[in-house]
Amino acid sequence: MSDLDVSAVKLLLIDDELPSLKLMEAILKQAGYSKITTTSDPRQAVQLYQEVKPDLIATDMRMPQMDGFEVMRQLAAVIPAEDYVPILVITGELDAPTKHRALAEGAKDFLNKPVDATEVVLRIKNQLVTRQLHRQLRMHNEHLEAQVRLRTKIVEQTQLDLLNRLALASEYRYDPTGSHAWRVGRMAVLLAEMKGLPADQVEMIKKTAPLHDVGKVGLSDAVILKNGPYDAADWAAMKQHTKIGSKLLSDSRAPLLMMAREIALTHHERWDGTGYHGIKDVQIPLAGRIVALADTFDIMTHPSSYKATSTLSQARAEIETQAGKQFDPELSALFLQLIDREGDKLLASTGPLQLVA
């Protein structure tokens, strides 16, 4: 209690009886309090609180224009819930019902009239120390919350860095730049936004879509690096990358890895159920349906050892043809709008994803 700087404390005193008001002010000034605001009109309580921002308020209970109960009710509406501003009730009628009601309205302590100077100083000081401790605790909690936010951001950035590197590793043997992964990620984000998904889901897709082909790390060079069309055995081997990716990303409760696993497993499913694992229409996770469109479009429009490269218009026509067959019809319509809106920008290379602040 000795470290309380009374010279910096701001007090608001409310009492319609001027002699009582002057006495309280004199007692407190004698004790070292210099920042004292007084009023004999309780209707000014809210305005003075907003102007002064006092550390403590002392109010009389029986006043003609507005009683102490109403003063406390009005102050409760403007004092921030997280702020501890003690209110002392000064009255000559401290019967039990009055005390109970005053406490219910927010009073923290009481002073009897006529006031005792020593009691006034001690009770006010006790309440101010409580306020000081409350503020210190709040500042400490805010500091801890800031530290948690910082550490969480560091963890999230570390996770994203690892996901970016994992995505790059999955394509390193045939695409050292990882451009396919980043392009698919960007297109998946744009499509998710057009679909109207919440910002947090869009952000999740942004971070996980580039991992759709992570299972390719488990395929042989004979398949990955084959120069020429794939035969049935090659396609059978290639299809395993969805299961491999799912296994690599399984057994985690982290939301990012759970969605990444979902995408890795289902991005080659078809709306009509003739995909890799026979899942169809809305049974295919939405993130998988979104990435299926982005992935197929990017593969069609970029060079590959096992197929010809399509022009933008050819790829658009194929997406339109496969709507309701290979692809979700609603997402297909949105993707066609995306192609018309973005055009050649969708074909441009991009870089690893960054964490959104």
Side-chain angles (χ1 to χ4, degrees):
M1 287 175 35
S2 59
D3 62 348
L4 180 66
D5 182 8
V6 296
S7 65
V9 170
K10 292 179 288 185
L11 303 175
L12 173 59
L13 309 181
I14 307 168
D15 196 330
D16 67 306
E17 297 178 358
L18 284 177
S20 298
L21 196 61
K22 293 298 182 182
L23 176 60
M24 279 284 293
E25 185 178 11
I27 291 171
L28 292 168
K29 284 186 175 180
Q30 181 66 32
Y33 297 93
S34 58
K35 298 181 179 181
I36 304 174
T37 301
T38 65
T39 181
S40 59
D41 186 351
R43 294 169 295 185
Q44 295 181 342
V46 169
Q47 178 185 342
L48 289 174
Y49 167 79
Q50 293 172 330
E51 292 175 358
V52 175
K53 291 295 189 293
D55 298 292
L56 179 142
I57 301 167
T59 180
D60 189 19
M61 184 58 66
R62 304 296 182 187
M63 295 179 286
Q65 305 97 333
M66 180 189 297
D67 65 20
F69 297 121
E70 182 60 27
V71 169
M72 287 187 285
R73 278 194 291 271
Q74 291 190 12
L75 287 171
V78 295
I79 296 175
E82 70 276 6
D83 197 8
Y84 180 88
V85 180
I87 299 178
L88 270 68
V89 169
I90 309 169
T91 181
E93 301 178 17
L94 279 177
D95 55 275
T98 301
K99 281 186 177 181
H100 296 165
R101 186 179 173 190
L103 289 170
E105 296 289 353
K108 301 303 181 186
D109 205 349
F110 301 91
L111 284 169
N112 285 308
K113 282 186 176 182
V115 295
D116 176 81
T118 300
E119 184 180 8
V120 167
V121 172
L122 289 177
R123 288 188 182 276
I124 284 180
K125 191 169 186 179
N126 286 342
Q127 288 300 321
L128 289 171
V129 169
T130 301
R131 171 173 166 79
Q132 183 178 5
L133 293 173
H134 182 275
R135 294 182 72 179
Q136 290 173 352
L137 179 60
R138 189 179 71 187
M139 290 174 64
H140 179 66
N141 289 338
E142 289 173 353
H143 174 72
L144 291 178
E145 290 172 3
Q147 290 296 310
V148 169
R149 287 194 297 270
L150 176 60
R151 292 176 184 176
T152 299
K153 188 171 182 179
I154 291 173
V155 169
E156 289 176 347
Q157 184 62 61
T158 301
Q159 288 179 337
L160 184 57
D161 288 343
L162 292 173
L163 292 179
N164 280 332
R165 282 155 179 74
L166 191 56
L168 182 59
S170 69
E171 309 212 350
Y172 191 75
R173 284 181 288 173
Y174 63 93
D175 181 11
T177 67
S179 294
H180 169 68
W182 314 139
R183 286 192 301 267
V184 169
R186 177 175 177 271
M187 283 187 282
V189 166
L190 294 173
L191 184 53
E193 289 174 341
M194 293 181 72
K195 170 67 174 172
L197 296 186
D200 59 336
Q201 292 186 34
V202 173
E203 187 67 16
M204 288 275 286
I205 290 174
K206 174 182 178 180
K207 295 173 181 177
T208 55
L211 286 170
H212 62 284
D213 279 340
V214 68
K216 288 184 178 179
V217 298
L219 300 183
S220 68
D221 287 349
V223 174
I224 291 293
L225 302 179
K226 182 172 182 178
N227 187 15
Y230 280 6
D231 57 25
D234 296 328
W235 280 116
M238 177 61 78
K239 288 180 180 180
Q240 294 305 306
H241 82 274
T242 57
K243 293 182 178 180
I244 296 170
S246 174
K247 187 174 182 180
L248 285 173
L249 297 166
S250 63
D251 301 324
S252 174
R253 293 184 179 180
L256 277 177
L257 292 180
M258 291 173 68
M259 179 173 280
R261 175 185 176 275
E262 182 178 271
I263 289 172
L265 181 65
T266 64
H267 70 283
H268 281 294
E269 296 310 298
R270 293 174 58 104
W271 185 258
D272 61 11
T274 60
Y276 282 16
H277 307 300
I279 309 172
K280 66 178 183 178
D281 54 63
V282 294
Q283 294 174 350
I284 307 168
L286 179 57
R289 284 180 268 151
I290 288 173
V291 173
L293 272 159
D295 182 43
T296 302
F297 174 83
D298 196 71
I299 290 173
M300 285 192 291
T301 54
H302 287 83
S304 173
S305 62
Y306 59 86
K307 61 158 190 65
T309 303
S310 300
T311 65
L312 188 65
S313 60
Q314 289 172 334
R316 188 192 188 287
E318 181 65 13
I319 296 292
E320 190 170 19
T321 299
Q322 292 300 323
K325 300 175 185 177
Q326 182 175 352
F327 306 118
D328 179 327
E330 180 189 357
L331 291 176
S332 298
L334 293 174
F335 199 80
L336 293 175
Q337 294 177 32
L338 180 61
I339 294 173
D340 294 338
R341 188 185 79 190
E342 298 288 329
D344 290 336
K345 292 180 182 179
L346 297 178
L347 310 181
S349 296
T350 184
L353 304 178
Q354 301 299 316
L355 182 67
V356 172

